[in-house]
Amino acid sequence: MTVESVGTAEHTLHRPRFAALYVQVQQFYAHRMQILDTHDTGRLADTYTEDAVLEPPSPAAPVRAGAGLTTTCAPARNAGAGSRLHHWVGMLDVQPQPDGSLHTSCSALAYVTPSAGGPKVLHVCVMQDVLVRCRGRWRTAHRRVTRDDLA
Amino acid sequence: MTVESVGTAEHTLHRPRFAALYVQVQQFYAHRMQILDTHDTGRLADTYTEDAVLEPPSPAAPVRAGAGLTTTCAPARNAGAGSRLHHWVGMLDVQPQPDGSLHTSCSALAYVTPSAGGPKVLHVCVMQDVLVRCRGRWRTAHRRVTRDDLA
Amino acid sequence: MTVESVGTAEHTLHRPRFAALYVQVQQFYAHRMQILDTHDTGRLADTYTEDAVLEPPSPAAPVRAGAGLTTTCAPARNAGAGSRLHHWVGMLDVQPQPDGSLHTSCSALAYVTPSAGGPKVLHVCVMQDVLVRCRGRWRTAHRRVTRDDLA
């Protein structure tokens, strides 16, 4: 293998430091989706910065994280009584920024299992975050979600 | 970026060592699901410790790995003759323990493609493992699976 | 934990260097699937080496990457007018080779969201690549795709 990346945009990806960051972000989303699926709004709020802005997948205007959590949890209501939701994130791209924040992009799925009948895919989305380190952990400062059925 | 993690639970996540572990576990599950989908019960048994305990997603009591493999492979039977199963793991959380074992939690999907017709999601699960290093590789010592439709 | 891997095939997995590689490949596929879903054939071609060979999931003969891109993008046509496709890769296995190339195997999903109605799983596949570093980044030199419904 001729490592040709010196001077290219991929240069930083060679370093174990980037791998450590990427894995942290994977684990961040694993925790975050687990919290979302247990409808724990207190812990969910704690995954955002205090002044976070959400752009939900609808024509509605961006909202602050506090009020926006209702919007974020809307699939739980849409899924119907007795249903279980299961969120899933993948296809993660992480771009470290000069100011120390991370610009991330990923695909997000929501599976719903109704009280009767088998599971199905409810939503297919793209989620774009700005993550910042704040009070000891990564938190979402800005989130934009685009749903394939609304795009 | 102000790295604020010193003294927090996330401290170890900063280190390349954790990234190496996390990636090993991702590769472990990729191998393991590939083996499950080829119905190779010999190699499947080799992904467990000899005294592994499985808690299957049903009211049944926990079983030892040997007998439990039948249970683990049950989706293959449920899927119907001529169907192909495809398992998928994501949303991985890895928590290294002081004794060197790893506590993992992940989401697991089973897709089924019948001999006629398109694929669909068969099961959506949460899988919680205790992994230990044994005879040169990570193996499952304890596994608890919860299925969204039975939870 | 007794690290027992010295002398085993897993030895290299212990090293941060492998984690860095694995994470690069995860990011490679995240970019690649994003490009595929935007139908940007120019950027898509740039993810292959110039002499890449594709073995598509059909009885057809292998094709060179240039002509093969049409085949690769076939799901876009099959999905129907107004539909949105969303590709997803997971269960990644990466095997570094002595010549510096990487042999990878992964599962690949295509979700389709029609202009009316909810999303569903269109294809479940296994994708096996040979990746080489070329002109500053990883590129696919050989790809074999097997679809569960055609296997």
Side-chain angles (χ1 to χ4, degrees):
Chain A
M1 177 174 62
T2 310
V3 178
E4 300 174 331
S5 67
V6 177
T8 74
E10 279 197 303
H11 183 51
T12 56
L13 303 194
H14 278 259
R15 295 175 184 161
R17 188 179 176 77
F18 179 77
L21 265 181
Y22 191 89
V23 158
Q24 277 179 46
V25 177
Q26 286 186 304
Q27 183 123 322
F28 168 79
Y29 283 116
H31 289 170
R32 205 272 177 193
M33 295 300 135
Q34 193 181 30
I35 291 170
L36 182 60
D37 291 342
T38 53
H39 313 301
D40 186 336
T41 49
R43 290 179 65 208
L44 195 61
D46 199 42
T47 65
Y48 294 97
T49 61
E50 288 178 8
D51 57 352
V53 173
L54 306 179
E55 296 185 50
S58 75
V63 287
R64 292 276 162 181
L69 290 176
T70 315
T71 307
T72 308
C73 292
R77 294 198 308 271
N78 296 341
S83 296
R84 292 180 70 91
L85 274 177
H86 207 117
H87 289 83
W88 198 287
V89 161
M91 299 292 87
L92 177 65
D93 179 45
V94 176
Q95 300 291 341
Q97 302 299 305
D99 67 357
S101 68
L102 303 176
H103 288 191
T104 71
S105 173
C106 61
S107 297
L109 295 175
Y111 294 96
V112 61
T113 302
S115 54
K120 62 173 191 171
V121 184
L122 185 66
H123 296 311
V124 181
C125 304
V126 171
M127 190 162 77
Q128 292 168 293
D129 275 2
V130 177
L131 303 184
V132 296
R133 248 195 124 72
C134 169
R135 288 176 283 133
R137 55 183 69 242
W138 292 106
R139 297 178 199 271
T140 301
H142 190 276
R143 170 164 294 160
R144 182 166 182 251
V145 181
T146 315
R147 244 168 63 188
D148 278 13
D149 59 327
L150 300 176
Chain B
M1 178 173 62
T2 309
V3 177
E4 300 173 332
S5 66
V6 177
T8 74
E10 279 196 303
H11 184 51
T12 55
L13 304 193
H14 277 259
R15 294 174 185 163
R17 188 178 177 78
F18 178 78
L21 265 182
Y22 191 89
V23 157
Q24 277 178 45
V25 176
Q26 286 185 304
Q27 184 123 321
F28 168 79
Y29 283 117
H31 289 170
R32 206 272 175 192
M33 295 300 134
Q34 192 182 32
I35 291 170
L36 183 59
D37 292 340
T38 54
H39 313 300
D40 186 337
T41 50
R43 290 179 67 209
L44 196 61
D46 198 41
T47 66
Y48 294 97
T49 60
E50 288 178 9
D51 57 352
V53 173
L54 305 178
E55 297 185 50
S58 75
V63 288
R64 291 277 163 182
L69 290 175
T70 315
T71 307
T72 307
C73 293
R77 293 199 308 271
N78 296 341
S83 297
R84 291 181 72 90
L85 274 177
H86 206 117
H87 288 83
W88 198 287
V89 160
M91 299 294 88
L92 177 65
D93 179 45
V94 176
Q95 300 291 340
Q97 302 300 303
D99 67 356
S101 68
L102 302 176
H103 288 191
T104 71
S105 173
C106 61
S107 297
L109 295 174
Y111 294 95
V112 60
T113 302
S115 54
K120 62 172 189 170
V121 184
L122 185 66
H123 296 312
V124 181
C125 304
V126 171
M127 190 163 78
Q128 293 169 292
D129 274 3
V130 177
L131 303 184
V132 297
R133 248 194 124 73
C134 169
R135 287 176 283 133
R137 54 184 69 242
W138 291 106
R139 297 178 199 270
T140 300
H142 190 276
R143 170 163 296 161
R144 183 166 182 251
V145 181
T146 315
R147 244 168 63 189
D148 277 12
D149 59 326
L150 300 176
Chain C
M1 178 172 62
T2 310
V3 177
E4 299 174 331
S5 66
V6 178
T8 72
E10 279 196 302
H11 184 50
T12 56
L13 304 194
H14 278 259
R15 295 175 184 162
R17 188 178 176 79
F18 179 78
L21 265 181
Y22 191 88
V23 158
Q24 278 178 45
V25 176
Q26 286 186 303
Q27 184 123 321
F28 168 79
Y29 284 117
H31 289 169
R32 205 273 178 193
M33 295 300 135
Q34 192 181 33
I35 292 169
L36 182 60
D37 291 340
T38 54
H39 313 300
D40 186 336
T41 50
R43 290 179 65 207
L44 196 60
D46 198 41
T47 66
Y48 294 98
T49 61
E50 288 179 8
D51 56 353
V53 173
L54 305 178
E55 296 185 50
S58 76
V63 288
R64 292 278 163 179
L69 290 175
T70 316
T71 306
T72 307
C73 293
R77 293 198 308 271
N78 296 341
S83 296
R84 292 181 71 90
L85 274 178
H86 207 118
H87 289 82
W88 198 287
V89 160
M91 299 292 89
L92 177 65
D93 179 45
V94 176
Q95 300 290 340
Q97 302 300 303
D99 67 356
S101 68
L102 303 176
H103 288 191
T104 71
S105 173
C106 61
S107 297
L109 295 175
Y111 294 95
V112 61
T113 302
S115 54
K120 62 173 190 172
V121 184
L122 186 66
H123 296 313
V124 181
C125 304
V126 171
M127 190 163 78
Q128 293 169 294
D129 274 3
V130 177
L131 303 184
V132 298
R133 249 196 122 72
C134 170
R135 287 175 284 133
R137 54 186 69 242
W138 292 106
R139 297 177 199 271
T140 300
H142 189 276
R143 170 164 295 161
R144 182 166 182 252
V145 181
T146 316
R147 243 167 64 188
D148 277 12
D149 58 327
L150 300 176

